[in-house]
Structures are given as C-alpha cells and as structure tokens.
C-alpha cells in the first residue's frame, strides 16, 4: 500500500490543477494523503507523519478560499510586470498607494474617481494581479453584471456579499460568523468595488456592519479592512477615438455632458438652489421633430447593410439609448420592419396570484386582458416580436460567470417555439 499511495496522490494533484505555494507543499500532500487513508480508517499519524496545521486544514476544506488561491503565481508575476510598465502617472500613484498600504498592514479607504475610459478597470486588474501574485486574497466586485465580467473570477457586490434586496438603516449582509464566507472575509487583504455610486449607500453600510461583526472590531470602519472604491458620479459614456465624420460632434456632446455632471451648466431652480437646475439642450444636439426624424436616426445607427448582414464587431459600437420604454418600443418596431426575414412573435402567460382564498376576486379585478396591456420596466412586452439577425439585450441575470448578465447584448441566431438562441456580442 505504501508504494501505491504516492502515485494516487500525484494523480489527484494532476487532475485538480491546484497551484500550490512551495512552502505549503508538504501540508497539501499530507491533506491528500489523509483523504486516501481515511477511506481505510487510518490517519497520517498512524505512519509517523506530522499532523496538518489546523489553520491550513480549515483553508483546504473551504471551497471559497481555495478558489481565491487557485492562481498560477508565476504567470501572475509576469503579467504584473507588463501591467506596471503600461501605467500612466496617475495610475502609478494610486497603485503605489494601495500596494504600500497592504505591505505596511495599514487600512486605507480610497475612492478612485473618473469617467468611462480613464483606465479604472486597468488599475483594478493591476492591483489584483500584484496581490494575487503574492498569494494574497483580494475580492473585486462591481455594481453591475457587465462591469463584473471585466474583473476575472469575480461577481457583483450583491452576489458576493449576500446584500439583502430590501435594505434598511439596520440591515446586515446574510453572512454568519461560522461560515465559509466569513472565513474568506477574515483572510481577505482588500476589497475593490467598482461603480459603487450606482448602489444605495445602505449597501456599503450593511457591509460595514457585517465586517465589524465578523472581525470583532466595532470601532473601526469595515473592521479594519482596506477598501478601494471606484466610479463616476456623472456616469457618462466614454468617447471612442476615430469614429469618422461625426467625431467632432460627438466630442462636443461628450464635453457638454461632462459640464452637466460637474454642475457648470444650468440655471438653479428657486425651489431648490443646490440640487435642481434647469438645463436648456442646445439645438445642435436635438433631433428635429419631423415625421422622418426617428427613421433618420435609425438609418444613421443601423444602416441597411448592417441589418442585412449583422456583424458582432460593428454592433458592439452601435446603440440607441432612450429615456422612456414607449420610445424603445416604437424604435424596436421600426427596426423590425426594416429588417428582412420571417418574424416570430412570443406572448407572455400573465396571471395574478391570489392571496388566501380570494382567487375569484383576484381574477375579476385583474383579468388576463388587463395584465397583457401592462408594460413594466425591466420586463419584455406581452408580445415580443423578433427576427433572426436583430440585436437584443438580456434583461435578467442568467449566468454571470458565463457572460450572461443584465445588459448583455446578443444577435438572434435561432427562434424556436420555447427557445431564443443568440450570439454574445459584448
């Protein structure tokens, strides 16, 4: 048996592909050996081998911790050097501040402010790569599913920290002290939270109370854990260089939006001088109100060639943003009429759920015809008409790790009776 066990342990490591710190290799081997011996009602101590340290045994049995340690450190070190060489001065300054605070074990609460395209995601990647290369745990989350996809191996803040949906001033995250998640947080060196202005302040406050409780440090924010927050209170779209003839107009529009975000445009309202302003939209940024105005806008964004031969790379750069659902429906219908091909319509199955025994009354008050005519934000209409090749957007998270989350854009590739198939383009 003694000759057979090492071969089985080696095979186990080969299949699991776990990247092991050389200083802890002996303990990992002992752990694998302990599992094999346990099947024969034996222990490593029966063969005169040392016991596995309890703290390491706890880590090995915690799936969440093992996931956060399962990185190829040699590859991360090489990537770290590449990322450091590409930083600009401001990114380097913030990077040095974060890494220095971690090395000195000093808590820092940092907010990185910048609009889209200023390199915040690149900075998050550089910081996480540097810390993970040292075998440290850093949790990077984002407020939206799309943003979380840019942070490898990470999730949305709600998913990662189990933040309640119905928040109050006393809310705490659904994380108990003696759980794997609590153990993971205790071993975490830093938390990076992107797009944090999109969340209610109660989300951060709930996490603050939870961390103080887990760390048993009530007087220090977040239990003494370093936090790096990022985002843009203006939430404007980035300007893409080289956009063709309309580049100058787009640049002027982007600059005007930034001025609105900075509060330098507009006349303060007398009823609330500090929070409300009246803003006049320049005529050059408006679409003239004519019968053909919407059609001209659609033709400019989605020309006939793009609708005839949809291309994922081109559609990534094309979008029409509307403030009202009714405008979205009008534009969608106009695009559907322009797109060639057979149209398929899917209808919802609406019904009101009664409480207790008032089923008859509920059906009387909310007939199916009434429910069918309702159009709620974040939900498709009662009749959803599609054609193969049209662009669509996913409204609800299905599989964040696989790229299917709120805001994922796709091209319809197949329309079946109970299935819509699409190709991810973002």
């Amino acid at each position: 048996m003694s000759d057979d066990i090492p071969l089985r342990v080696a095979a186990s490591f080969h299949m699991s592909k776990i990247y092991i710190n050389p200083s802890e290799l002996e303990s990992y081997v002992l752990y694998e050996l302990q599992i094999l011996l346990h099947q024969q009602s034996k222990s490593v101590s029966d063969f005169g081998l040392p016991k596995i340290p309890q703290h390491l045994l706890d880590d090995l049995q915690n799936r969440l911790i093992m996931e956060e340690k399962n990185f190829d450190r040699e590859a991360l070190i090489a990537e770290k050097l590449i990322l450091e060489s590409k930083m600009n001065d401001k990114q380097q300054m913030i990077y040095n501040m974060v890494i220095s605070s971690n090395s000195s074990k000093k808590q820092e609460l940092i907010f990185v402010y910048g609009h889209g395209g200023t390199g915040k995601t690149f900075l998050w990647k550089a910081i996480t790569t540097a810390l993970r290369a040292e075998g440290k745990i850093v949790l990077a989350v984002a407020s939206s599913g799309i943003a979380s996809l840019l942070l490898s191996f990470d999730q949305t803040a709600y998913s990662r920290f189990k933040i309640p949906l119905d928040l109050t001033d006393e809310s705490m995250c659904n994380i108990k002290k003696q759980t794997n998640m609590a153990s993971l947080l205790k071993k975490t060196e830093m938390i990076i939270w992107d797009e944090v202005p999109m969340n209610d302040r109660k989300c951060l406050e709930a996490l603050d109370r939870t961390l103080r409780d887990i760390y048993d440090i009530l007087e220090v924010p977040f239990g003494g854990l370093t936090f790096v927050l990022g985002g843009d209170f203006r939430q404007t779209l980035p300007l893409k260089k080289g956009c063709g003839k309309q580049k100058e107009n787009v640049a002027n529009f982007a600059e005007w939006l930034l001025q609105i975000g900075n509060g330098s445009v507009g006349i303060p309202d007398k009823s609330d001088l500090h929070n409300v302003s009246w803003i006049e939209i320049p005529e050059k940024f408006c679409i003239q109100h004519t019968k053909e105005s919407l059609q001209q806008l659609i033709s400019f964004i989605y020309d006939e060639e793009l609708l005839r031969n949809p291309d994922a790379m081109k559609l990534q750069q094309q979008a029409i943003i509307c403030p009202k659902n009714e405008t979205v429906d009008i534009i969608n219908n106009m695009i559907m009429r322009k797109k060639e091909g057979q149209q398929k319509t899917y209808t919802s199955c609406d019904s009101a759920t009664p409480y207790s025994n008032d089923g008859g009354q509920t059906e009387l008050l909310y007939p199916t015809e009434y429910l069918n005519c309702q159009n709620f934000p974040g939900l498709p209409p009662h009749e959803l008409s599609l054609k193969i090749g049209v662009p669509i957007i996913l409204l609800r998270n299905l599989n964040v790790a696989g790229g299917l989350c709120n805001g994922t854009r796709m091209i319809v590739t197949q329309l079946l009776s109970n299935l819509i198939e699409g190709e991810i383009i973002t």
Side-chain angles (χ1 to χ4, degrees):
M1 184 180 70
S2 59
D3 293 334
D4 183 47
I5 287 178
L7 294 177
R8 294 173 64 189
V9 172
S12 176
F13 274 116
H14 175 73
M15 293 300 293
S16 59
K17 297 182 181 179
I18 295 176
Y19 297 101
I20 300 172
N21 185 343
S23 63
E24 299 175 344
L25 179 58
E26 179 183 349
S27 296
Y28 278 92
V29 173
L30 286 174
Y31 177 68
E32 289 279 328
L33 189 57
Q34 177 68 56
I35 294 175
L36 294 174
L37 290 173
H38 181 71
Q39 298 173 2
Q40 302 179 36
S41 302
K42 293 184 179 295
S43 172
V44 291
S45 59
D46 295 334
F47 298 87
L49 297 173
K51 290 185 177 181
I52 306 172
Q54 186 59 43
H55 73 279
L56 184 56
L57 185 61
D58 293 339
D59 289 355
L60 289 167
Q61 294 174 343
N62 189 327
R63 178 181 57 82
L64 298 178
I65 292 178
M66 294 307 296
E67 286 177 354
E68 293 299 326
K69 286 190 172 184
N70 191 23
F71 293 97
D72 185 346
R73 295 190 193 176
E74 292 183 2
L76 289 177
I77 291 173
E79 185 179 8
K80 169 190 171 184
L81 297 175
I82 296 174
L83 294 174
E84 288 178 341
S85 67
K86 294 182 178 181
M87 291 182 188
N88 59 37
D89 293 340
K90 291 185 178 180
Q91 289 172 332
Q92 188 71 57
M93 179 189 68
I94 300 170
Y95 175 83
N96 291 339
M97 183 191 306
V98 173
I99 299 301
S100 176
S101 70
N102 180 258
S103 300
S104 61
K105 303 297 181 181
K106 178 184 176 183
Q107 183 192 33
E108 292 284 357
L109 302 176
I110 302 170
F111 189 95
V112 181
Y113 177 60
H115 58 79
T118 53
K120 296 190 299 296
T121 302
F122 177 86
L123 180 61
W124 308 149
K125 185 175 182 180
I127 294 172
T128 55
T129 299
L131 293 177
R132 287 168 177 169
E134 299 177 12
K136 297 178 178 179
I137 295 177
V138 51
L139 302 181
V141 299
S143 297
S144 67
I146 286 292
S148 71
L149 294 177
L150 303 177
L151 305 170
S152 59
F153 288 91
D154 294 291
Q155 308 170 22
T156 62
Y158 271 88
S159 174
R160 169 61 83 179
F161 302 126
K162 304 184 185 302
I163 300 174
L165 295 178
D166 297 324
L167 288 164
T168 67
D169 291 332
E170 292 78 32
S171 292
M172 294 181 66
C173 302
N174 296 319
I175 302 174
K176 304 301 181 183
K177 272 191 173 183
Q178 306 302 324
T179 61
N180 286 347
M181 187 61 200
S183 299
L184 173 64
L185 289 172
K186 287 181 180 179
K187 291 186 175 293
T188 297
E189 298 277 340
M190 183 182 302
I191 290 178
I192 297 175
W193 191 333
D194 194 21
E195 291 189 349
V196 73
M198 294 176 62
N199 285 111
D200 191 318
R201 63 172 176 82
K202 295 176 184 177
C203 295
L204 270 175
E205 292 172 357
L207 183 56
D208 174 36
R209 282 187 286 270
T210 302
L211 290 173
R212 293 186 194 220
D213 178 58
I214 290 174
Y215 278 88
D216 288 322
I217 303 177
L218 302 180
E219 66 277 5
V220 180
F222 302 105
L225 190 62
T226 291
F227 260 69
V228 181
L229 309 177
D232 176 19
F233 290 101
R234 298 169 297 195
Q235 288 295 305
T236 57
L237 296 173
L239 171 63
K240 184 175 179 63
K241 296 181 180 180
C243 291
K245 298 179 181 179
Q246 301 298 323
K247 179 179 177 181
E248 184 177 353
N249 291 337
V250 173
N252 292 335
F253 181 65
E255 180 61 30
W256 179 67
L257 287 179
L258 290 174
Q259 290 175 359
I260 293 177
N262 291 328
S264 56
V265 173
I267 301 174
D269 187 84
K270 294 181 180 180
S271 61
D272 192 345
L273 297 176
H274 299 290
N275 299 310
V276 180
S277 295
W278 288 95
I279 298 174
E280 182 177 352
I281 301 176
E283 186 175 346
K284 61 181 179 180
F285 297 147
C286 297
I287 298 175
Q288 299 301 318
H289 185 62
T290 65
K291 293 183 178 179
E292 304 297 325
S293 57
L294 271 181
Q295 192 63 54
Q296 292 172 358
L297 172 65
I298 294 171
S299 299
F300 178 74
I301 303 298
Y302 299 109
D303 56 46
E304 291 185 6
E305 176 60 27
L306 184 58
L307 289 177
R308 190 181 301 112
N309 301 300
D311 179 80
M313 295 301 294
K314 291 182 179 179
L315 285 173
Q316 285 180 10
Q317 305 173 31
Q318 310 293 110
I320 300 176
I321 301 174
C322 306
K324 295 183 178 180
N325 285 341
E326 58 188 45
T327 310
V328 172
D329 293 337
I330 293 173
I331 293 177
N332 284 345
N333 291 333
M334 295 178 71
I335 293 177
M336 288 294 297
R337 288 196 292 269
K338 289 188 63 175
K339 172 67 179 171
E340 298 177 354
Q342 185 176 358
Q343 178 173 302
K344 187 173 181 61
T345 300
Y346 297 87
T347 57
S348 64
C349 183
D350 294 327
S351 62
T353 302
Y355 287 93
S356 62
N357 297 320
D358 61 350
Q361 184 178 1
T362 300
E363 186 175 350
L364 182 64
L365 291 173
Y366 304 102
T368 303
E369 294 76 9
Y370 169 75
L371 296 176
N372 289 347
C373 71
Q374 301 302 305
N375 193 3
F376 300 101
L379 291 175
H382 166 58
E383 290 189 352
L384 178 63
S385 298
L386 296 173
K387 292 180 180 179
I388 293 177
V390 299
I392 57 175
I393 295 179
L394 190 65
L395 298 179
R396 284 288 178 270
N397 287 355
L398 294 180
N399 180 6
V400 177
L404 295 175
C405 58
N406 293 1
T408 302
R409 298 177 64 195
M410 295 176 284
I411 301 174
V412 175
T413 57
Q414 193 170 189
L415 297 171
L416 304 176
S417 298
N418 297 302
L419 179 68
I420 301 172
E421 200 172 271
E423 173 193 355
I424 297 177
I425 64 175
T426 49

